[in-house]
């Protein structure tokens, strides 16, 4: 687990370049730059940002459009949810892999096409500035589209977000295959919904895609599934763990 000079977990250690997939954890001195438009995508330099713009452009414009009309409180809360998601990325990905672990001798890879993981979080009552997990569950992928429609200003905007999300995941899979030489069998989507009850706006939705390479799938076949993965995830987050 990467920490800063004070020994505290650094959420930016899990950030990676959207173009070349280089992670800050691989080189702590690397100064990743965030897209000034959407403020949700990171790059290791201008060259990677320019190279990735054709892929990122639609998502960037859509994210900026969704932020229009938000209050300063909503924008701040949205960024807090994004920071929490980035900081717990490896842990969330581990939860996604748990869902796919062998059952009755085979890897349930088909779940990549049909299911997703949902994690509901809210501001912690015990740790100011932090979050606690309210609920974890597994649902059907079609529910993501419904959630995006519900959370967007128009249904059309939600449908566009969903299409871009799927297209982006497919492009990332092909890019990773090209760069690593390993086949990617699919992407497990993890939906983070941040709830803030005191305000009229009740939830902010963030998606975290976890790519599953074929080599990882083979390794997973040898592992033992953690029973009650949802309780395991809650406990790990409560303990402040950032990775499995």
């Amino acid at each position: 687990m990467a920490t800063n000079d004070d020994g505290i977990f650094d959420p930016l250690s899990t950030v990676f370049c959207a173009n070349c997939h280089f992670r800050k954890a691989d080189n702590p001195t690397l100064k990743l730059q965030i897209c000034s438009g959407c403020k949700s995508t990171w790059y290791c330099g201008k060259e990677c940002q320019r190279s990735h713009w054709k892929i990122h452009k639609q998502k960037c414009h859509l994210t900026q459009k969704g932020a229009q009309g938000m209050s300063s409180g909503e924008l701040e809360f949205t960024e807090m949810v994004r920071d929490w998601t980035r900081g717990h990325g490896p842990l969330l990905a581990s939860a996604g892999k748990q869902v796919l672990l062998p059952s009755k001798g085979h890897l349930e890879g088909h779940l990549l096409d049909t299911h997703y993981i949902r994690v509901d979080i809210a501001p912690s009552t015990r740790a100011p500035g932090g979050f606690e997990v309210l609920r974890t569950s597994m649902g059907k992928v079609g529910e993501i589209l419904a959630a995006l429609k519900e959370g967007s200003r128009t249904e059309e905007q939600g449908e566009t977000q969903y299409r871009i999300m799927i297209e982006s995941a497919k492009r990332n899979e092909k890019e990773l295959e090209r760069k690593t030489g390993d086949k990617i069998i699919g992407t497990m989507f993890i939906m983070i919904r941040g709830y803030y009850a005191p305000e009229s706006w009740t939830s902010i939705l963030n998606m975290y895609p976890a790519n599953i390479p074929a080599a990882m799938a083979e390794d997973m076949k040898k592992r033992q599934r953690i029973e009650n993965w949802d309780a395991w995830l809650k406990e790990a987050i409560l303990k402040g763990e950032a990775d499995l």
Side-chain angles (χ1 to χ4, degrees):
M1 181 171 72
T3 59
N4 59 23
D5 294 338
D6 297 320
I8 300 172
F9 170 67
D10 177 12
L12 291 183
S13 65
T14 61
V15 169
F16 59 88
C17 174
N19 184 59
C20 69
H21 301 281
F22 192 88
R23 297 189 311 152
K24 183 174 174 60
D26 298 326
N27 181 4
T29 62
L30 180 69
K31 294 187 180 299
L32 286 169
Q33 301 168 350
I34 195 168
C35 172
S36 61
C38 66
K39 295 181 172 56
S40 64
T41 303
W42 295 78
Y43 298 99
C44 59
K46 292 292 184 183
E47 187 176 340
C48 270
Q49 186 172 13
R50 282 193 294 267
S51 178
H52 193 250
W53 177 243
K54 187 176 179 180
I55 295 174
H56 179 59
K57 180 167 63 175
Q58 274 189 306
K59 176 188 173 185
C60 187
H61 289 163
L62 195 65
T63 302
Q64 291 182 66
K65 190 175 181 180
Q68 291 175 0
M70 280 188 174
S71 68
S72 59
E74 285 178 288
L75 290 171
E76 182 180 357
F77 185 64
T78 299
E79 192 55 39
M80 287 172 65
V81 172
R82 285 176 181 163
D83 284 345
W84 186 92
T85 303
R86 282 193 289 263
H88 291 84
L91 192 62
L92 294 169
S94 294
K97 294 164 194 171
Q98 284 299 317
V99 174
L100 299 175
L101 279 173
S103 175
K104 297 181 180 178
H106 68 279
L107 188 74
E108 298 185 88
H110 63 280
L111 292 179
L112 283 172
D113 299 320
T114 59
H115 289 71
Y116 77 101
I117 289 178
R118 173 171 170 167
V119 180
D120 293 349
I121 62 175
S124 175
T125 56
R126 291 171 289 182
F131 285 94
E132 59 187 53
V133 177
L134 301 177
R135 292 171 294 275
T136 56
S137 61
M138 186 168 72
K140 297 290 184 70
V141 166
E143 295 171 8
I144 297 177
L145 176 56
L148 287 172
K149 283 183 177 181
E150 178 190 344
S152 300
R153 303 196 182 281
T154 65
E155 286 198 358
E156 183 181 5
Q157 187 177 337
E159 290 172 353
T160 303
Q161 280 184 286
Y162 183 76
R163 176 177 55 79
I164 292 174
M165 182 188 78
I166 298 298
E167 291 175 353
S168 178
K170 295 300 179 185
R171 282 194 295 264
N172 281 337
E173 288 172 13
K174 289 181 180 178
E175 186 66 12
L176 278 173
E177 286 182 343
R178 184 182 70 80
K179 290 180 177 178
T180 65
D182 192 6
K183 181 174 176 56
I184 306 297
I185 65 170
T187 300
M188 171 62 78
F189 289 104
I190 301 159
M191 178 194 292
I192 312 299
R193 287 201 86 144
Y195 287 87
Y196 195 52
E199 300 291 341
S200 56
W201 41 276
T202 57
S203 69
I204 296 295
L205 185 149
N206 196 22
M207 297 300 302
Y208 184 88
N211 300 118
I212 309 295
M216 181 186 295
E218 287 300 313
D219 179 62
M220 286 160 60
K221 288 180 181 179
K222 306 170 189 175
R223 300 192 183 192
Q224 182 69 34
R225 181 198 296 265
I226 295 177
E227 296 300 328
N228 302 319
W229 66 267
D230 50 347
W232 163 81
L233 178 61
K234 279 185 180 181
E235 185 178 357
I237 291 173
L238 188 63
K239 290 179 179 177
E241 296 176 7
D243 203 349
L244 183 62

